[in-house]
């Protein structure tokens, strides 16, 4: 009896028009009147991330981002990761990006335990601060020397941001670990747990 109830059979799983036709009915039940707009977009997005083994398909690889000021008809599929927040610092556009991702805060190092520093003069205080700044600048320079021009981190300190701007590095603040994973997956970068220069294999790439 069930074979007689089939109204449409999907032939090619990688054909956008066929997949879109199959999705129309289920999308219409949720967004009636917009199925002709939404179905092709969903089909295109799903096909673009369809793995060789279709049984390992993950819906987590398809996300929806809302940008104020437009309508549903302006929707589009973007292959990669989309962040709605603006970048930090002065660098807003980068071509041929080399991406380094850090799961730690990008700022001056802090000791795991409390300590006491004895300063006997104002000059010692100035030298102490300059020493920390020099160490941080050297870390930034080492990262830049690897070819990195985009840094993704959970947080950027003021001094670190100054040095990143100095070396024309884009700063992308990403407090969400889930979004950070998507960026890493999209750019094929490896997230680093501490502030250190990445290796060639750990650097992600993006147009």
């Amino acid at each position: 009896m069930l074979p007689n109830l089939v109204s449409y059979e999907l032939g090619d799983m990688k054909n956008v028009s066929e997949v879109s036709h199959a999705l129309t009915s289920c999308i219409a039940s949720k967004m009636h009147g917009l199925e002709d707009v939404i179905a092709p977009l969903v089909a295109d997005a799903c096909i673009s991330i369809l793995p060789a083994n279709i049984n390992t398909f993950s819906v987590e690889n398809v996300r929806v981002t809302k940008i104020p000021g437009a309508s549903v008809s302006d929707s589009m599929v973007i292959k990669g990761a989309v962040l709605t927040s603006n970048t930090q610092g002065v660098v807003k556009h980068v071509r041929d990006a080399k991406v380094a991702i850090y799961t730690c805060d990008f700022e001056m190092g802090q000791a795991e335990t409390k300590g006491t520093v004895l300063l006997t003069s104002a000059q010692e205080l100035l030298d102490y601060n300059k020493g920390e700044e020099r160490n941080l600048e050297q870390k930034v320079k080492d990262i830049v020397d690897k070819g990195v021009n985009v840094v993704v981190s959970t947080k950027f300190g003021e001094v670190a941001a100054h040095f990143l701007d100095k070396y024309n590095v884009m700063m992308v603040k990403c407090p969400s670990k889930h979004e950070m994973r998507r960026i890493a997956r999209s750019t094929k970068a490896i997230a680093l747990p501490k502030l250190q220069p990445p290796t060639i294999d750990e650097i992600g790439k993006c147009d």
Side-chain angles (χ1 to χ4, degrees):
M1 182 177 179
L2 287 177
N4 297 329
L5 298 177
V6 175
S7 61
Y8 178 77
E9 187 173 350
L10 183 61
D12 186 3
M13 291 285 290
K14 294 188 177 181
N15 186 296
V16 174
S17 61
E18 288 190 29
V19 175
S20 176
H21 184 71
L23 292 172
T24 299
S25 59
C26 63
I27 292 177
S29 66
K30 301 293 184 183
M31 305 185 72
H32 182 64
L34 296 174
E35 61 272 12
D36 292 335
V37 177
I38 301 297
L41 297 175
V42 175
D44 186 16
C46 292
I47 291 171
S48 66
I49 55 97
L50 190 67
N53 181 5
I54 61 174
N55 294 323
T56 61
F57 177 85
S58 174
V59 296
E60 288 296 318
N61 292 331
V62 179
R63 312 300 297 178
V64 177
T65 299
K66 298 178 181 179
I67 300 177
S71 63
V72 175
S73 60
D74 296 316
S75 300
M76 66 182 71
V77 176
I78 297 179
K79 295 177 175 63
V82 176
L83 300 175
T84 56
S85 59
N86 197 1
T87 62
Q88 296 192 335
V90 298
V91 182
K92 301 298 180 184
H93 301 279
V94 170
R95 292 277 187 184
D96 190 24
K98 301 295 187 295
V99 185
I101 300 178
Y102 295 94
T103 57
C104 60
D105 294 345
F106 203 104
E107 58 184 1
M108 287 186 182
Q110 296 179 353
E112 294 182 1
T113 58
K114 291 183 178 180
T116 302
V117 178
L118 180 61
L119 302 173
T120 57
S121 66
Q123 187 60 43
E124 287 184 359
L125 177 60
L126 291 172
D127 293 340
Y128 179 78
N129 290 334
K130 288 179 180 178
E132 284 195 329
E133 290 179 4
R134 280 195 298 268
N135 290 336
L136 182 58
E137 183 176 9
Q138 186 59 48
K139 287 183 179 180
V140 172
K141 189 175 184 304
D142 291 341
I143 293 171
V144 173
D145 289 342
K146 293 291 184 178
V148 173
N149 52 13
V150 177
V151 171
V152 181
S153 180
T154 55
K155 179 184 176 183
F156 292 93
E158 290 184 5
V159 179
H162 165 72
F163 290 127
L164 289 169
D165 279 337
K166 178 180 177 180
Y167 290 97
N168 295 317
V169 178
M170 177 184 283
M171 293 173 279
V172 179
K173 183 179 178 181
C174 185
S176 170
K177 63 179 181 180
H178 300 292
E179 285 190 354
M180 191 170 286
R181 284 197 201 110
R182 294 186 194 108
I183 296 173
R185 193 161 53 240
S186 299
T187 59
K188 293 181 172 57
I190 297 176
L192 302 174
K194 61 181 181 179
L195 206 57
Q196 63 185 31
T199 63
I200 298 299
D201 296 332
E202 293 169 339
I203 297 175
K205 295 181 180 180
C206 180
D207 295 335

